[in-house]
Amino acid sequence: GNSQLILGFLGGNDAHFGEIARACVYQPAPGPWGLPYDEDPNGEGECKKNLQISRAFITDKGDEGLEAKFKTALDKIIAFKQVSGQIQDRFDLYISSYVEFFDATTDACDDWTFARWFSVGSPKLVKPLRAEMNDLVQQYNAVQAAVIAGYPSPLGLGLNYYVHYIPISDVFQNHRFCEEGHSFEDQWTSSDVWIWNLQWNDGDTGGPDQPPGAPPGPFPVMSLDTLNTSRTDLDNQVFTDPTAQVQSGFGWTARPFHPKPLGHQNIKATYIDTFKNDEVPGVIGIDSAPPSPITSI
């Protein structure tokens, strides 16, 4: 097709966010993962190693760093929209920020672990770990925002082509992991937490015990299974919450640390408000179209 508007997230996998969740939060079999964050002063465990890899990529000013790779991705999209058959009178490219995962100030999570029945370690979600993971998201967002701020917009050549940045992390305020007043089980089941945890089915309330009917593992956790061309029925499991608002989705091992449906709905409202404020042609209000049923994430 010949698009007039593109909206997307770019580059989170390159920043090792998935590897950090595996090494610092879930530590699935077989491992070994080494020392957890709070017991690793010398940075020898896989958690701190992956945090360092992520930070190095985000701050790298060379050709292999986030800044250069992100700008190259924008350049390729804009270049494609200038070839024959793709040119529009106006084209808008929106890049969304990522969301900070935790409230890093609360006390209860210091003693909690999100490890599951197939984990080989039980890393605790101590404040410094939560703060460092949030800080990486903040740094990542800042790099992308700076690249877009310096991007020529609108472009020359008589084209009304625009590149925009949409910060959405504040939309999740009070709806992250480890919020004040939320229980341990809330980290999996509460509709007030808008980020997926690692959950076998709708009735799975978290913790180290194997839920009824769940296989023993090991499993590819945090998007590794999405790279496979032969996904299993287990990977593609669709949850059956009748409201389709709280606990529905597919790929139960791939979705942790991604937004739940309620998170997506609030992100959507932010996007539409931004499009309207930017006077993007053809954008209607969020209440002007009937909602489509949510059957997957």
Side-chain angles (χ1 to χ4, degrees):
N2 188 357
S3 56
Q4 295 175 286
L5 184 151
I6 293 177
L7 165 68
F9 297 81
L10 290 177
N13 288 342
D14 292 336
H16 278 240
F17 290 158
E19 285 86 345
I20 290 170
R22 285 190 288 274
C24 298
V25 178
Y26 295 118
Q27 294 193 346
W33 298 103
L35 293 172
Y37 183 94
D38 56 320
E39 299 175 16
D40 188 14
N42 299 319
E44 298 173 350
E46 293 303 310
C47 174
K48 286 195 172 179
K49 286 180 181 178
N50 277 288
L51 289 166
Q52 179 55 38
I53 291 170
S54 176
R55 192 173 300 279
F57 171 73
I58 291 169
T59 59
D60 185 352
K61 297 293 185 179
D63 292 343
E64 297 303 312
L66 171 61
E67 181 178 302
K69 286 183 174 291
F70 180 57
K71 186 176 185 303
T72 297
L74 297 182
D75 290 343
K76 288 181 177 180
I77 294 170
I78 295 298
F80 177 74
K81 288 300 299 178
Q82 295 180 65
V83 302
S84 177
Q86 286 295 321
I87 295 175
Q88 291 278 4
D89 293 333
R90 172 168 173 166
F91 171 70
D92 291 273
L93 172 60
Y94 284 87
I95 302 299
S96 177
S97 78
Y98 282 80
V99 171
E100 295 162 51
F101 306 118
F102 300 99
D103 182 332
T105 66
T106 52
D107 295 328
C109 263
D110 286 337
D111 296 317
W112 291 350
T113 178
F114 287 175
R116 300 310 316 270
W117 69 99
F118 53 84
S119 299
V120 295
S122 299
K124 293 181 178 179
L125 298 170
V126 294
K127 292 184 189 72
L129 171 60
R130 287 179 268 154
E132 186 161 354
M133 290 178 68
N134 281 353
D135 183 63
L136 288 174
V137 174
Q138 293 169 1
Q139 288 197 36
Y140 184 97
N141 290 342
V143 170
Q144 292 200 331
V147 169
I148 290 173
Y151 207 83
S153 186
L155 298 180
L157 306 177
L159 298 174
N160 289 316
Y161 282 18
Y162 300 87
V163 182
H164 316 261
Y165 178 75
I166 306 182
I168 63 167
S169 190
D170 286 350
V171 175
F172 277 64
Q173 191 70 23
N174 300 320
H175 299 287
R176 313 178 202 274
F177 292 129
C178 299
E179 298 280 8
E180 189 69 43
H182 287 178
S183 69
F184 179 72
E185 289 186 356
D186 286 340
Q187 311 306 310
W188 282 268
T189 63
S190 174
S191 61
D192 206 34
V193 178
W194 291 353
I195 303 171
W196 285 114
N197 210 328
L198 186 55
Q199 185 178 28
W200 164 246
N201 59 24
D202 293 342
D204 182 358
T205 57
D209 294 334
Q210 183 176 340
F219 306 111
V221 179
M222 279 302 302
S223 299
L224 283 180
D225 59 349
T226 64
L227 303 179
N228 297 333
T229 57
S230 56
R231 294 175 60 86
T232 66
D233 290 339
L234 176 64
D235 295 327
N236 288 319
Q237 177 184 3
V238 178
F239 289 8
T240 56
D241 174 64
T243 67
Q245 301 296 313
V246 181
Q247 302 294 330
S248 61
F250 72 88
W252 73 283
T253 61
R255 69 186 186 177
F257 282 77
H258 293 78
K260 290 181 179 179
L262 285 174
H264 279 295
Q265 288 175 10
N266 284 273
I267 292 171
K268 173 185 173 181
T270 301
Y271 291 160
I272 291 177
D273 285 344
T274 301
F275 300 158
K276 291 171 66 178
N277 291 337
D278 291 345
E279 298 182 345
V280 175
V283 174
I284 61 177
I286 194 168
D287 297 326
S288 301
S292 57
I294 299 173
T295 58
S296 64
I297 302 301

